[in-house]
Amino acid sequence: MEKVTINSVAKHAGVSKKTVSRVLNNEPNVSDATREKVQQAFKELNYRPNPIARGLAHNRSFIIGCLYDNPSKSYITRVQSGALEACQERNYNLLIHPCELRGEPLIDNIETLISTSRLDGLVLTPPFSDNKELVDYLKFRNVPYARVAPVTLDDESISIKSNDTQAAYDITKLLLSLGHKEIAFIKGHPDHSATEARFDGYVKALGEEGIALKTEFVAEGNFSYHSGEDSARKILESAARPSAVFASNDYMAAAVLKVASQMSLKVPDELSIVGFDNAPIARHIWPGLTTIAQPVEDMTFRAVTLLIDSINATEIENMVEIFAGKLIERQSTAQFSH
Amino acid sequence: MEKVTINSVAKHAGVSKKTVSRVLNNEPNVSDATREKVQQAFKELNYRPNPIARGLAHNRSFIIGCLYDNPSKSYITRVQSGALEACQERNYNLLIHPCELRGEPLIDNIETLISTSRLDGLVLTPPFSDNKELVDYLKFRNVPYARVAPVTLDDESISIKSNDTQAAYDITKLLLSLGHKEIAFIKGHPDHSATEARFDGYVKALGEEGIALKTEFVAEGNFSYHSGEDSARKILESAARPSAVFASNDYMAAAVLKVASQMSLKVPDELSIVGFDNAPIARHIWPGLTTIAQPVEDMTFRAVTLLIDSINATEIENMVEIFAGKLIERQSTAQFSH
DNA sequence: ATTTAATCTGACACCGGTGTCATAATTAGC
DNA sequence: GCTAATTATGACACCGGTGTCAGATTAAAT
């Protein structure tokens, strides 16, 4: 297969390569006749511009990096899926970068990533979205970035928020409306800002009913299945067992279900359980988990789209958008029966 | 931050840029003194070669594509993880390409992918590893590729195999040794060659015990949780209910467990269940699934490493390597009690 | 001390695009 | 119909590296 470059197209169409470049980029100041000729040559030769050469000329890589450190595989693939779609639409490539938050020094890691791969921009997903050190570094290095699901807002970057607090409030309200008064809570990883946000919603809902927060009903998890197990044991084996458990994500909720099974506690008759995220496991276990579905793909898609557009815009405009979660009721919740 | 190019390094070190390039690529014919000087300049200026310029000069992208279409998120992330590690080690980037096998014409899709992204090579994961049309196309287009977990061998490519048949044989043998004689089987997706391989192992083990294959005990699934549910209903609601079910992957096995729970069938006392893959769900449900763990990361890592090395080698050497699965016993299997 | 071979080093073109600017071809204005 | 303003086009340098090849330097051989 003969290599087709801009030169061959130019020769074929009988014009200069600069003119070909003009047609390629939809630049003005090309006569209709010439444009036609060149486009014809594109087709006849099946020409594809070389993104690498283009990148060199522009001093750009047309690559967006996606940073994550999340135990949930399904969350990661959803993030990737949204990011990929946005990239493909704009002819960018996506470079995935899983990354241990507590591993080697984060900044060094990112520094290497950026300078070796020449990323044009970076999407931060939780828990990086709220990592001040990282955000400051990117700002200092002048690397465009977008934040997915941050809690803190700096008004200086593209941020696509989810309203975790509201959603957590809603799902807690659901439990309350079912007659539950003793509702335990399992927190997520302290590095994730969603952890506090979700907890806040829970606290707010309880507060509105005039129910005091019981410290023995609040366990410290870290979003992992394992931490959910430990927390569930602590909560369910305590003297005053709650009638419902709100786990900050579905993995931990699944772990609560497992512990309940092992203790022969019937769910939802003797114990209601709710999770968060609507991970696949929420519908893969029996009973299915009542949980909050978040539009992860949409959020990431939007973040990457805004990021790429801001890279190519002359005027940089930073914006915040908020996406809402949706309550999904399955079989793990039921009316409280004394 | 000043831009550091090969020219600035050359000036700083007082040599030509070609000499800098020589040092960069560890080429011979550079005096120790000069090499020292240049390396010193690298450090002082914190120089990072521009992969894009390098790519243009070499007519290479230093990007490996990873093709997949797999419902299992955990499988995908494991594949990615192995591939990424191999790429990072060799200074390549990884481009992920999820892809609907039954979606738009596959070859067109790949054609676009290759010509727009200028991939240097492609890793095929199931079900693409055994897609003859695709493999033929890549061969025709002269695109280097490696196949992860193929079943058919063409001896003309890098192939990293797993011994699915053996593993399926082993796990069936386990059920037989527990006294089970009526063992149902849920097949995977017909496009995945692993489907037949696993079935073969099951058939072989039964055959050795002189147990005839019952067609009513073989269901056609497609690796999805949902198909597992349907298959499980068909099998468990039949008149002659088996005492054990072998599902071709863990998602379908989890679905069997769900259906069994709904039917109040106690697992493992009244029904043993085994899966395949050791997906996270296998240990996230209760009882945990007895299954086969495959070294997915290792296999992909190896495939990508071999692929990159073969791209850079003058002599192309194709090879086949076989990785073994490992039987993992959890709580979903027990002695058959009449 | 020369010749010969081996080892270094740099000038220069090139990879495949894009930006700048000068010039050619139109069109508009009167 | 002639000049002025506008639009269309191409020559050329450049992005940051690498390959080729010739020339300079050093080491080995006689």
Side-chain angles (χ1 to χ4, degrees), chain A residues 21-33:
Chain A
S21 167
R22 286 197 181 92
V23 175
L24 206 56
N25 297 290
N26 278 314
E27 287 175 30
N29 297 341
V30 179
S31 74
D32 289 349

Side-chain angles (χ1 to χ4, degrees), chain A residues 141-174:
Chain A
R141 275 279 251 134
N142 233 355
V143 178
Y145 64 98
R147 307 189 301 153
V148 173
V151 167
T152 56
L153 288 181
D154 57 3
D155 280 334
E156 291 184 36
S157 62
I158 295 164
S159 301
I160 306 297
K161 268 188 66 79
S162 59
N163 56 352
D164 286 47
T165 303
Q166 178 66 38
Y169 172 85
D170 291 345
I171 205 165
T172 309
K173 275 286 191 185
L174 169 71

Side-chain angles (χ1 to χ4, degrees), chain A residues 46-117:
Chain A
N46 190 26
Y47 168 70
R48 311 287 185 136
N50 184 332
I52 299 178
R54 204 198 280 244
L56 180 58
H58 276 134
N59 196 21
R60 298 238 203 126
S61 63
F62 295 99
I63 293 178
I64 297 292
C66 177
L67 202 59
Y68 57 80
D69 172 30
N70 202 299
S72 165
K73 315 294 184 204
S74 81
Y75 186 80
I76 291 173
T77 47
R78 293 182 69 189
V79 161
Q80 288 178 356
S81 159
L84 258 180
E85 203 178 327
C87 282
Q88 283 169 356
E89 213 169 71
R90 296 279 196 280
N91 271 310
Y92 271 66
N93 282 334
L94 184 72
L95 183 62
I96 56 178
H97 193 79
C99 180
E100 303 289 306
L101 190 55
R102 298 216 182 275
E104 68 168 310
L106 175 65
I107 301 300
D108 291 357
N109 186 333
I110 301 304
E111 149 72 21
T112 305
L113 172 69
I114 293 170
S115 50
T116 58
S117 294

